[in-house]
Amino acid sequence: QVQLVESGGGLVQAGDSLRLSCAASGRTFSGGAVGWFRQAPGKEREFVAHIRWSVGSTYYADSVKGRFTIFRDIARNLVNLQMNSLKPEDTAVYYCAADIYRGSWSFPTNEKTYDYWGQGTQVTVSS
């Protein structure tokens, strides 16, 4: 079993930055992929960013391109989401998801291709 723990959320003002982290236990991310999703109250969970662990290639939702960066820390077995120029519409619970079998490599926005999920961390952006 893989356990994921997100951290780094908080309350910030529009234009500020936050860095979220996703830590894994039980096994490393090696060979698979990691995605970030978010869910705002009353809305469906939506895709944010994806990284292929072994090669580091990334994919982003249009809404965060140019503002968010997903990257991996191989030594610490972490995946981070650097969020810059935050907007109120970025307010949501952010979830880390691990894909063990590379299903998300072809379908990174499909949450069904991920095998494990963290409990989420709240990000609130005020005007």
Side-chain angles (χ1 to χ4, degrees), residues 47-51 56-71 80-82 108-109:
F47 169 79
V48 176
H50 175 271
I51 185 168
S57 56
T58 59
Y59 180 78
Y60 299 93
D62 289 341
S63 60
V64 305
K65 285 182 180 178
R67 299 188 299 121
F68 290 11
T69 303
I70 185 172
F71 61 98
N80 298 310
L81 184 69
Q82 178 67 43
T109 67

mmCIF file of all heavy atoms in Angstrom, residues 47-51 56-71 80-82 108-109:
data_model
loop_
_atom_site.group_PDB
_atom_site.id
_atom_site.type_symbol
_atom_site.label_atom_id
_atom_site.label_comp_id
_atom_site.label_asym_id
_atom_site.label_seq_id
_atom_site.Cartn_x
_atom_site.Cartn_y
_atom_site.Cartn_z
ATOM 1 N N PHE A 47 -8.458 18.287 -12.879
ATOM 2 C CA PHE A 47 -7.040 18.054 -13.064
ATOM 3 C C PHE A 47 -6.261 19.357 -13.009
ATOM 4 O O PHE A 47 -6.717 20.385 -13.512
ATOM 5 C CB PHE A 47 -6.808 17.365 -14.417
ATOM 6 C CG PHE A 47 -5.374 17.309 -14.842
ATOM 7 C CD1 PHE A 47 -4.509 16.374 -14.308
ATOM 8 C CD2 PHE A 47 -4.889 18.203 -15.778
ATOM 9 C CE1 PHE A 47 -3.187 16.317 -14.698
ATOM 10 C CE2 PHE A 47 -3.575 18.162 -16.183
ATOM 11 C CZ PHE A 47 -2.720 17.214 -15.638
ATOM 12 N N VAL A 48 -5.065 19.294 -12.423
ATOM 13 C CA VAL A 48 -4.202 20.464 -12.327
ATOM 14 C C VAL A 48 -2.872 20.239 -13.047
ATOM 15 O O VAL A 48 -2.497 21.008 -13.930
ATOM 16 C CB VAL A 48 -3.927 20.847 -10.865
ATOM 17 C CG1 VAL A 48 -2.940 22.008 -10.794
ATOM 18 C CG2 VAL A 48 -5.231 21.208 -10.156
ATOM 19 N N ALA A 49 -2.143 19.195 -12.664
ATOM 20 C CA ALA A 49 -0.812 18.972 -13.224
ATOM 21 C C ALA A 49 -0.412 17.511 -13.094
ATOM 22 O O ALA A 49 -0.922 16.786 -12.237
ATOM 23 C CB ALA A 49 0.226 19.861 -12.532
ATOM 24 N N HIS A 50 0.547 17.096 -13.916
ATOM 25 C CA HIS A 50 0.978 15.703 -13.977
ATOM 26 C C HIS A 50 2.460 15.652 -14.280
ATOM 27 O O HIS A 50 2.965 16.478 -15.054
ATOM 28 C CB HIS A 50 0.182 14.989 -15.077
ATOM 29 C CG HIS A 50 0.583 13.564 -15.347
ATOM 30 N ND1 HIS A 50 1.559 13.230 -16.262
ATOM 31 C CD2 HIS A 50 0.111 12.395 -14.855
ATOM 32 C CE1 HIS A 50 1.676 11.910 -16.310
ATOM 33 N NE2 HIS A 50 0.805 11.381 -15.469
ATOM 34 N N ILE A 51 3.149 14.689 -13.683
ATOM 35 C CA ILE A 51 4.563 14.494 -13.970
ATOM 36 C C ILE A 51 4.874 13.010 -14.082
ATOM 37 O O ILE A 51 4.445 12.219 -13.247
ATOM 38 C CB ILE A 51 5.464 15.172 -12.911
ATOM 39 C CG1 ILE A 51 6.943 15.061 -13.309
ATOM 40 C CG2 ILE A 51 5.228 14.580 -11.521
ATOM 41 C CD1 ILE A 51 7.858 15.953 -12.481
ATOM 42 N N GLY A 56 10.490 12.989 -15.864
ATOM 43 C CA GLY A 56 10.244 14.348 -15.440
ATOM 44 C C GLY A 56 9.409 15.195 -16.379
ATOM 45 O O GLY A 56 9.303 16.408 -16.173
ATOM 46 N N SER A 57 8.830 14.597 -17.400
ATOM 47 C CA SER A 57 7.997 15.365 -18.318
ATOM 48 C C SER A 57 6.686 15.738 -17.640
ATOM 49 O O SER A 57 6.170 14.992 -16.806
ATOM 50 C CB SER A 57 7.742 14.586 -19.602
ATOM 51 O OG SER A 57 7.168 13.319 -19.325
ATOM 52 N N THR A 58 6.146 16.878 -18.004
ATOM 53 C CA THR A 58 4.995 17.429 -17.304
ATOM 54 C C THR A 58 3.860 17.793 -18.244
ATOM 55 O O THR A 58 4.052 17.969 -19.448
ATOM 56 C CB THR A 58 5.392 18.675 -16.500
ATOM 57 O OG1 THR A 58 5.937 19.654 -17.397
ATOM 58 C CG2 THR A 58 6.438 18.329 -15.451
ATOM 59 N N TYR A 59 2.687 17.935 -17.662
ATOM 60 C CA TYR A 59 1.488 18.315 -18.393
ATOM 61 C C TYR A 59 0.610 19.111 -17.444
ATOM 62 O O TYR A 59 0.453 18.752 -16.275
ATOM 63 C CB TYR A 59 0.757 17.070 -18.898
ATOM 64 C CG TYR A 59 -0.503 17.359 -19.668
ATOM 65 C CD1 TYR A 59 -0.449 17.774 -20.987
ATOM 66 C CD2 TYR A 59 -1.757 17.211 -19.072
ATOM 67 C CE1 TYR A 59 -1.603 18.033 -21.702
ATOM 68 C CE2 TYR A 59 -2.916 17.470 -19.780
ATOM 69 C CZ TYR A 59 -2.834 17.879 -21.091
ATOM 70 O OH TYR A 59 -3.978 18.131 -21.791
ATOM 71 N N TYR A 60 0.008 20.203 -17.953
ATOM 72 C CA TYR A 60 -0.758 21.102 -17.107
ATOM 73 C C TYR A 60 -2.135 21.391 -17.671
ATOM 74 O O TYR A 60 -2.340 21.402 -18.893
ATOM 75 C CB TYR A 60 -0.038 22.437 -16.949
ATOM 76 C CG TYR A 60 1.317 22.347 -16.298
ATOM 77 C CD1 TYR A 60 2.470 22.217 -17.065
ATOM 78 C CD2 TYR A 60 1.450 22.404 -14.920
ATOM 79 C CE1 TYR A 60 3.711 22.138 -16.472
ATOM 80 C CE2 TYR A 60 2.690 22.328 -14.319
ATOM 81 C CZ TYR A 60 3.817 22.198 -15.097
ATOM 82 O OH TYR A 60 5.048 22.129 -14.495
ATOM 83 N N ALA A 61 -3.057 21.668 -16.770
ATOM 84 C CA ALA A 61 -4.337 22.203 -17.183
ATOM 85 C C ALA A 61 -4.138 23.612 -17.728
ATOM 86 O O ALA A 61 -3.260 24.350 -17.276
ATOM 87 C CB ALA A 61 -5.305 22.231 -16.007
ATOM 88 N N ASP A 62 -4.954 23.991 -18.697
ATOM 89 C CA ASP A 62 -4.821 25.312 -19.297
ATOM 90 C C ASP A 62 -4.957 26.427 -18.261
ATOM 91 O O ASP A 62 -4.318 27.477 -18.381
ATOM 92 C CB ASP A 62 -5.871 25.506 -20.390
ATOM 93 C CG ASP A 62 -5.591 24.682 -21.626
ATOM 94 O OD1 ASP A 62 -4.439 24.239 -21.808
ATOM 95 O OD2 ASP A 62 -6.526 24.477 -22.424
ATOM 96 N N SER A 63 -5.767 26.206 -17.251
ATOM 97 C CA SER A 63 -6.037 27.232 -16.263
ATOM 98 C C SER A 63 -4.828 27.586 -15.397
ATOM 99 O O SER A 63 -4.811 28.644 -14.764
ATOM 100 C CB SER A 63 -7.200 26.801 -15.363
ATOM 101 O OG SER A 63 -6.895 25.598 -14.689
ATOM 102 N N VAL A 64 -3.820 26.711 -15.365
ATOM 103 C CA VAL A 64 -2.663 26.957 -14.508
ATOM 104 C C VAL A 64 -1.362 27.078 -15.280
ATOM 105 O O VAL A 64 -0.316 27.352 -14.668
ATOM 106 C CB VAL A 64 -2.521 25.869 -13.430
ATOM 107 C CG1 VAL A 64 -3.811 25.739 -12.627
ATOM 108 C CG2 VAL A 64 -2.136 24.532 -14.051
ATOM 109 N N LYS A 65 -1.387 26.898 -16.577
ATOM 110 C CA LYS A 65 -0.168 27.002 -17.377
ATOM 111 C C LYS A 65 0.466 28.372 -17.208
ATOM 112 O O LYS A 65 -0.205 29.394 -17.262
ATOM 113 C CB LYS A 65 -0.474 26.752 -18.851
ATOM 114 C CG LYS A 65 -0.725 25.304 -19.207
ATOM 115 C CD LYS A 65 -0.981 25.140 -20.698
ATOM 116 C CE LYS A 65 -1.227 23.689 -21.062
ATOM 117 N NZ LYS A 65 -1.523 23.533 -22.501
ATOM 118 N N GLY A 66 1.772 28.378 -17.013
ATOM 119 C CA GLY A 66 2.495 29.617 -16.828
ATOM 120 C C GLY A 66 2.520 30.117 -15.406
ATOM 121 O O GLY A 66 3.293 31.032 -15.088
ATOM 122 N N ARG A 67 1.691 29.543 -14.541
ATOM 123 C CA ARG A 67 1.641 29.955 -13.142
ATOM 124 C C ARG A 67 2.083 28.849 -12.189
ATOM 125 O O ARG A 67 2.716 29.129 -11.176
ATOM 126 C CB ARG A 67 0.229 30.407 -12.758
ATOM 127 C CG ARG A 67 -0.278 31.597 -13.556
ATOM 128 C CD ARG A 67 -1.597 32.120 -12.988
ATOM 129 N NE ARG A 67 -2.648 31.107 -13.034
ATOM 130 C CZ ARG A 67 -3.299 30.646 -11.970
ATOM 131 N NH1 ARG A 67 -2.990 31.109 -10.759
ATOM 132 N NH2 ARG A 67 -4.249 29.739 -12.110
ATOM 133 N N PHE A 68 1.725 27.612 -12.498
ATOM 134 C CA PHE A 68 2.049 26.478 -11.641
ATOM 135 C C PHE A 68 3.163 25.652 -12.274
ATOM 136 O O PHE A 68 3.239 25.532 -13.502
ATOM 137 C CB PHE A 68 0.836 25.570 -11.443
ATOM 138 C CG PHE A 68 -0.271 26.153 -10.609
ATOM 139 C CD1 PHE A 68 -0.281 27.490 -10.245
ATOM 140 C CD2 PHE A 68 -1.319 25.344 -10.190
ATOM 141 C CE1 PHE A 68 -1.307 28.020 -9.480
ATOM 142 C CE2 PHE A 68 -2.347 25.853 -9.425
ATOM 143 C CZ PHE A 68 -2.342 27.189 -9.069
ATOM 144 N N THR A 69 3.992 25.061 -11.435
ATOM 145 C CA THR A 69 5.045 24.170 -11.886
ATOM 146 C C THR A 69 5.066 22.928 -11.016
ATOM 147 O O THR A 69 5.151 23.037 -9.795
ATOM 148 C CB THR A 69 6.423 24.846 -11.833
ATOM 149 O OG1 THR A 69 6.418 26.039 -12.622
ATOM 150 C CG2 THR A 69 7.490 23.899 -12.370
ATOM 151 N N ILE A 70 4.983 21.768 -11.635
ATOM 152 C CA ILE A 70 5.107 20.513 -10.912
ATOM 153 C C ILE A 70 6.520 19.986 -11.131
ATOM 154 O O ILE A 70 7.032 20.005 -12.250
ATOM 155 C CB ILE A 70 4.043 19.488 -11.372
ATOM 156 C CG1 ILE A 70 4.120 18.214 -10.520
ATOM 157 C CG2 ILE A 70 4.163 19.169 -12.849
ATOM 158 C CD1 ILE A 70 2.970 17.240 -10.781
ATOM 159 N N PHE A 71 7.162 19.550 -10.065
ATOM 160 C CA PHE A 71 8.507 19.022 -10.185
ATOM 161 C C PHE A 71 8.754 17.999 -9.092
ATOM 162 O O PHE A 71 8.080 17.983 -8.068
ATOM 163 C CB PHE A 71 9.562 20.132 -10.152
ATOM 164 C CG PHE A 71 9.591 20.949 -8.890
ATOM 165 C CD1 PHE A 71 10.512 20.679 -7.889
ATOM 166 C CD2 PHE A 71 8.711 22.001 -8.709
ATOM 167 C CE1 PHE A 71 10.555 21.442 -6.736
ATOM 168 C CE2 PHE A 71 8.737 22.767 -7.554
ATOM 169 C CZ PHE A 71 9.660 22.487 -6.567
ATOM 170 N N ASN A 80 6.383 18.200 -5.853
ATOM 171 C CA ASN A 80 5.974 19.525 -5.418
ATOM 172 C C ASN A 80 5.151 20.220 -6.488
ATOM 173 O O ASN A 80 5.296 19.957 -7.680
ATOM 174 C CB ASN A 80 7.197 20.377 -5.095
ATOM 175 C CG ASN A 80 8.034 19.813 -3.972
ATOM 176 O OD1 ASN A 80 7.505 19.473 -2.909
ATOM 177 N ND2 ASN A 80 9.331 19.707 -4.188
ATOM 178 N N LEU A 81 4.306 21.110 -6.037
ATOM 179 C CA LEU A 81 3.540 21.963 -6.936
ATOM 180 C C LEU A 81 3.780 23.396 -6.513
ATOM 181 O O LEU A 81 3.270 23.832 -5.477
ATOM 182 C CB LEU A 81 2.050 21.627 -6.890
ATOM 183 C CG LEU A 81 1.170 22.410 -7.860
ATOM 184 C CD1 LEU A 81 1.459 21.991 -9.300
ATOM 185 C CD2 LEU A 81 -0.306 22.211 -7.535
ATOM 186 N N GLN A 82 4.577 24.108 -7.294
ATOM 187 C CA GLN A 82 4.836 25.513 -7.038
ATOM 188 C C GLN A 82 3.736 26.330 -7.690
ATOM 189 O O GLN A 82 3.544 26.258 -8.902
ATOM 190 C CB GLN A 82 6.202 25.924 -7.592
ATOM 191 C CG GLN A 82 6.535 27.396 -7.415
ATOM 192 C CD GLN A 82 6.715 27.772 -5.966
ATOM 193 O OE1 GLN A 82 7.354 27.044 -5.211
ATOM 194 N NE2 GLN A 82 6.140 28.899 -5.564
ATOM 195 N N PRO A 108 -3.553 11.680 -18.440
ATOM 196 C CA PRO A 108 -3.216 12.338 -17.164
ATOM 197 C C PRO A 108 -4.382 13.045 -16.493
ATOM 198 O O PRO A 108 -4.348 13.236 -15.275
ATOM 199 C CB PRO A 108 -2.121 13.338 -17.566
ATOM 200 C CG PRO A 108 -2.363 13.587 -19.022
ATOM 201 C CD PRO A 108 -2.826 12.275 -19.570
ATOM 202 N N THR A 109 -5.397 13.440 -17.251
ATOM 203 C CA THR A 109 -6.526 14.156 -16.657
ATOM 204 C C THR A 109 -7.598 13.232 -16.111
ATOM 205 O O THR A 109 -8.533 13.705 -15.460
ATOM 206 C CB THR A 109 -7.165 15.107 -17.682
ATOM 207 O OG1 THR A 109 -7.775 14.348 -18.735
ATOM 208 C CG2 THR A 109 -6.112 16.028 -18.296
#
